[in-house]
Structures are given as C-alpha cells and as structure tokens.
Amino acid sequence: MTGFVLQPTQEGELRRRVLFWLPSPLLAIGLVALVVGGGFSAAGWTILLASSVGVGTLLLTLVVQPTPLPEGLAPPVSARRSLHRFRQFTHLRLALALATVVIGAAASLVGGGLYPVMAAALLAWPQMLLAMPTFFTITRARRAMEAWGTTAYLWHALSRPAKVTWPIVTPAVRAWRAQQVERSRESMRRKLEEKAWRKAVDEEKENSSREDGRDAQESSSMERTTPIRPLGGASADEATEVLPHLSAGAGEDVKDAGEDGDGSERPSAELRPTAVLPHLGAGDASGDSPRATVNRAARRLFERGSGALDLAVRRTRRGTQSVRRPESSKP
C-alpha cells in the first residue's frame, strides 16, 4: 500500500492528489455539525439544491472526456501533450467534486441541518474515485485523445519519474524549511558581524594602548634633564645661595661660583654700594649707606635753591657747562 501511494511517477503524483482531497467531505461534515449543533433535519429546498448540484457534476464527470490530439505529432510531443491533458482532466474532476461539497456545506448552514452536506458528500466521493488514475480511467482517456488517429503515448508519459509531493503539505514544508534556512543564515550573519565588531574593538584597544605607550616613552624622553651639580664643590644637601651679598657680612668677601675655561676658580670683587655723584657733595660719605647718601644730597640741593637745581638739570641734559656768553637778540 505504501508503494502504491508513494510511487515516484507521474501516475503516482496524480494518485496522491486525489487521495489528499478524498477526506475533504468528512472535514466539511464535521465543521458544519459544529456550527448547526449536530441536527440532521434541514429545509427541503436546501437538500434538493445540494443533490441537484451533485448529480450534475457526477454526470459531467462520466460524460466529459479529454479532447482529441491533433494529427501529425511526433511521439515525444504526443506523450507530453497527452500527459498535460490527462492532468487537466483529473484536476477538473477534483474541482467538480470539491465544488459539490462546498455547495452542500453552504446549503446545510442555511437550512440548519446536516442532510444537504451529507447528500453532497455521497455524490462527491464517486467523482473523486473516477478522477483516480486507474486502468479504466486511463484507457478511456487514451481512446478519447486518439479519436483523430494520432497515437497518444499516455502510458509512457505516466510512467515518467516524478518527485513524491503532496498538494498543500509539500509547499508548506518547503516554505517552513526555507524560513528556517533563512533564519540560520541571518543568525550566522549576525554572529559574523558581532565577531568582526569584537575583533575591530580589540584591534582599536590594542592600537590605542600602543599609542599611549609611545606617548609615554616620548614624554619620558623629553623630560629627561642633566642633573645640576652643586656649586663650588658643595654637597647636594647644602642649600645654594642665589644672592650671596644679601646674607654675607659687611666686610666678608664673596667668591664667584663660576669657573673659567681652564677650570680654576676666580675670586669676585667686593660688592659695594653705588657711587654717588661727586658734584652733589657726597664724596665724604663713602662709608655711609646708600640711602643716607641720597638723602643728604637731596637736602643740599634744596639748600642751594633753584639755581643749583637748574644747574644740575642742565648738566644732566647737556653734559659739560658752557662758558660762552649767549648773544643778545635785541637790536
């Protein structure tokens, strides 16, 4: 039975299509029973409608046959066309049977009972059995196609290999598998993107750490300076006197901390206060402090008056005093 159903030929494919739709009347009866509440009685016109439609489709199934093949066809073309017409004839019979079931279900819903759909199912099952590719059905279809004298290689065409498929289940399974494959590809793509992002982040961190190390090395090399040796051969712990004359005594000699080109120390001269101008009369106050000398010179200038001040200013501006009498500008 499994080999009969799963036969991998064109005949087996058509047989599987008919077997797939064979339980459809039972499914329609069950759905209608749930809607109407399980009652069988219905209006008479609904039962008549369903029965008349079923009888009409059954007569079409018995009477209608495939059209004849045109004359002068080659054997391969004849086999291909005969297979195509027989497939269309089988689908037509299935469509008529399913239409009968649909009309019977609608009549049952309108009438409120199960009699219309049951009558349609009883008339639809013979049509499905006639659509089954049996020896009787194939023989009648082949004779109808050979009515104009062209040989129909229908048996040869039905024996060609074909994949084992079901009408609705196989496309649904293919779509589900394609969706799963797409999801797996999407997840793999996301993983690869995340991996590449992590790699880029690690490389950026490594580059930044290298740059920080280089900057630290450059800054440390720039901050390196030659240590300052203590002045005058003193130890590093002793404080260096920047201005020695401020901390030394009045009569103490201060030695210069620098060295000549030959390495010998040269003594520095004693630091003394600034010399006072001799014309101000402060030559005798060489031993006093600079502030006292300046104050005394200012007092003498004020004692002499404006003439002494004018003389001092003139000497400051022109240098030496002129002994030449200026010429009068009067006539």
Side-chain angles (χ1 to χ4, degrees), residues 227-243:
I228 301 176
R229 293 177 295 179
L231 300 176
S235 62
D237 297 336
E238 297 180 359
T240 304
E241 295 179 353
V242 181
L243 300 176

Side-chain angles (χ1 to χ4, degrees), residues 212-254:
D212 294 342
R214 291 176 182 176
D215 295 342
Q217 291 179 1
E218 292 178 359
S219 60
S220 61
S221 62
M222 292 177 62
E223 291 177 358
R224 291 177 183 175
T225 56
T226 307
I228 301 176
R229 293 177 295 179
L231 300 176
S235 62
D237 297 336
E238 297 180 359
T240 304
E241 295 179 353
V242 181
L243 300 176
H245 64 279
L246 298 180
S247 61
E252 183 181 2
D253 296 337
V254 182

Side-chain angles (χ1 to χ4, degrees), residues 250-251 270-276 281-294 296:
E270 181 180 357
L271 297 178
R272 296 180 180 181
T274 306
V276 185
D284 56 346
S286 59
D288 299 339
S289 61
R291 180 176 293 276
T293 303
V294 174
R296 190 161 42 254

Side-chain angles (χ1 to χ4, degrees), residues 48-60 96 100 103 119-120 123-124 127:
L48 181 62
L49 176 62
S51 301
S52 60
V53 170
V55 171
T57 55
L58 181 59
L59 291 176
L60 288 175
L96 291 175
T100 302
I103 293 175
L123 293 172
Q127 301 177 39

Side-chain angles (χ1 to χ4, degrees), residues 200-210:
V201 170
D202 295 340
E203 291 179 356
E204 187 67 22
K205 289 182 179 180
E206 185 177 357
N207 294 334
S208 61
S209 62
R210 290 180 181 176

Side-chain angles (χ1 to χ4, degrees), residues 1 7-8 21 77 85 111 115 121 167 209 233 250 261 269 283-284 300 315 318 328:
M1 189 64 183
Q7 187 177 2
W21 294 109
V77 179
R85 293 191 180 188
Y115 281 131
S209 62
D284 56 346
R300 289 187 179 183
R315 284 183 178 180
R318 298 181 181 180
S328 177

Side-chain angles (χ1 to χ4, degrees), residues 185-195:
R185 290 179 180 176
E186 185 69 19
S187 61
M188 182 63 67
R189 186 179 62 82
R190 291 179 180 178
K191 289 181 180 179
L192 292 176
E193 289 181 356
E194 185 177 359
K195 186 177 180 181

